[in-house]
Amino acid sequence: MKTEDTITGFDWKYSAAPEAKDHIKLKSQYDLFINGNFVKPNSKKYFATYNPATEEKLAEVAQANAKDVDIAVAAAKNAYDKVWKKMPAKERAKYIFRIARVIQERARELAVIESMDGGKPIRESRDFDVPTAANHFFYYAGWADKLEYAFPNRHPQSLGIAAQIIPWNFPLLMAAWKIAPALATGNTVVLKPAENTPLTALKLAEIIQECELPAGVVNIITGFGDTGAAMVAHPNVNKIAFTGSTDVGKIIQKAIAGTNKKATLELGGKAANIVFDDAPINQAVEGIVNGIFFNQGHVCCAGSRLFVQESVATEVIQKLKARMETLIVGDPLDKNTDIGAINSKEQLDKINDYLKIGSKEGLELFQTSAAIPKKGFYCKPTLFIGAAQSNRVVQEEIFGPVLTIQTFRTIEEVIEKANNIPYGLSAGVWTDKGSKIFNLTSKLRAGVIWANTYNKFDPSSPFGGYKESGFGREGGLHGLMPYLKF
Ligand code: ADP
């Protein structure tokens, strides 16, 4: 692997530093985790999950059909009625703490599997996904016996059975985001990971078994969109928590219209990352890179639209290009890797289509000169310079390492441009002036706004969007509410 330092003119390279895989225990076939046991699917069908970096098959997982969903929901209902609802909150908390502790104990294994199944760099899964997943369980364990205190005089009560459907970009972390608050509030769960990345959720099922959670409190089933649709449609499900595409979010909303099922939807995004001329430019460049290129742009809150104040545009673009040239695209299990594999062939095809669309729209395309591996699904970090509001690459979510760059002159102009989009999940602001930050945070229609940093997460801080980015909040005290009735 080779990289050139274009800032200093040095030509240097890192030695490969691959993370070991020999400690990973993967079965060749995984069944459905229902009622505390791994059980064969009624469908009798299994499908393969692949390593997108090598295109190797990692394991086969069960494909749950409507009957399997029915069995999983029945297990969750039985556990809710007979055990979980009645259990003192402080006892529930102990189980949730236990899950957090075992995630920590098995962190290395989980991180490696996450990178193998999803393609994300090991640095990301090791230093962010897995520790943050454990932190979510710790955090919500703490709330379990304090709900009366969290919502004084409102007598919060659990809803019942939560159907939780998650995407492929943060498989374990999304499972934690969903399961931890549901359990803390006294609900039971049927969770479905994405079909591309089921393995860490199945490992979590093993952890849940190891923690001796009462049977049926958490059920983890695997399958495709039809499995998710059967979960949404099930009459005994009380709450739907979905993270994924806006298109599927709309389908879910239609499916539950007229029912009394509660829902939270965390959907797409197209975040504006705004750099003013008084910003610390080097830090901003680092924040831009972190916001869109790390994790292959597979982040719904990725800072995929860069707005730079005109007077510093040349400097920012030049520094950004130089920094991009130092990014290493390659083996997700190598600790030096900045940008791993694109999650699937379909996703890579979609990104490549957008690269064609942007070029046809007449935008200047910049890609780094780094070589990318021949096998596996990879995309070089890419800029579209000179973009305009009307460009499709500006308006539509690409979900890849592709950044559009627009310039602006005034605050009013950038607020209008940043908000002129169907999405409203997140945004970033880079400036020396606190007053400018406060001005923007009140006017940008985005659920999360970072100032002089980007993509920072904490279990105590709520996350969620406006407009077509969905509704409801996950994380923090707010994240308890969607699982409660008052
Ligand atoms: P992405 O584009 O991020 O893959 P999707 O919205 O297609 O997002 O998928 C997110 C999750 O939703 C996955 O677990 C997927 O299997 C599930 N899913 C897909 N279609 C449906 C549907 N019609 N109803 C419920 N879940 C679905």
Side-chain angles (χ1 to χ4, degrees), residues 165-168 192-195 223-229 232 242-246 248-249 251-252 347 399:
I165 301 167
I166 57 174
W168 46 258
K192 186 189 92 62
E195 49 273 34
F224 294 81
D226 57 330
T227 311
V232 170
F242 172 78
T243 301
S245 62
T246 297
V248 174
I251 295 172
I252 291 178
Q347 188 57 28
F399 228 66

Side-chain angles (χ1 to χ4, degrees), residues 317-440:
I317 294 170
Q318 181 259 323
K319 287 190 167 166
L320 184 58
K321 284 180 175 174
R323 176 67 177 96
M324 284 166 69
E325 284 290 355
T326 69
L327 295 177
I328 299 173
V329 185
D331 179 5
L333 286 183
D334 192 313
K335 290 163 209 137
N336 298 318
T337 295
D338 298 300
I339 302 178
I342 300 298
N343 186 266
S344 64
K345 167 127 190 0
E346 297 74 52
Q347 188 57 28
L348 181 59
D349 290 346
K350 184 181 155 194
I351 297 168
N352 284 334
D353 284 347
Y354 274 109
L355 296 187
K356 283 187 206 129
I357 291 168
S359 300
K360 268 202 198 136
E361 286 179 318
L363 305 182
E364 180 192 337
L365 177 137
F366 169 81
Q367 283 192 314
T368 59
S369 51
I372 56 174
K374 292 207 170 46
K375 209 167 165 57
F377 314 127
Y378 290 93
C379 178
K380 291 184 179 187
T382 305
L383 301 179
F384 275 125
I385 302 164
Q389 284 299 110
S390 56
N391 293 135
R392 278 186 63 192
V393 287
V394 167
Q395 289 291 326
E396 295 171 22
E397 189 180 38
I398 300 173
F399 228 66
V402 181
L403 178 68
T404 60
I405 306 184
Q406 295 171 260
T407 58
F408 68 95
R409 288 186 183 169
T410 65
I411 290 199
E412 293 70 29
E413 179 191 351
V414 77
I415 291 172
E416 194 165 326
K417 284 181 171 170
N419 284 340
N420 179 10
I421 192 103
Y423 298 108
L425 190 57
S426 58
V429 182
W430 298 84
T431 170
D432 204 24
K433 297 267 177 307
S435 57
K436 241 187 237 172
I437 293 170
F438 286 120
N439 184 15
L440 264 91

Side-chain angles (χ1 to χ4, degrees), residues 126-173:
R126 182 196 63 191
D127 299 345
F128 178 69
D129 293 54
V130 176
T132 317
N135 285 348
H136 268 81
F137 280 103
F138 276 125
Y139 176 78
Y140 280 111
W143 273 124
D145 62 351
K146 301 173 194 73
L147 298 177
E148 290 287 346
Y149 166 83
F151 307 104
N153 303 320
R154 295 180 67 193
H155 309 302
Q157 284 163 41
S158 54
L159 298 174
I161 291 115
Q164 308 184 317
I165 301 167
I166 57 174
W168 46 258
N169 57 342
F170 291 93
L172 182 69
L173 181 56

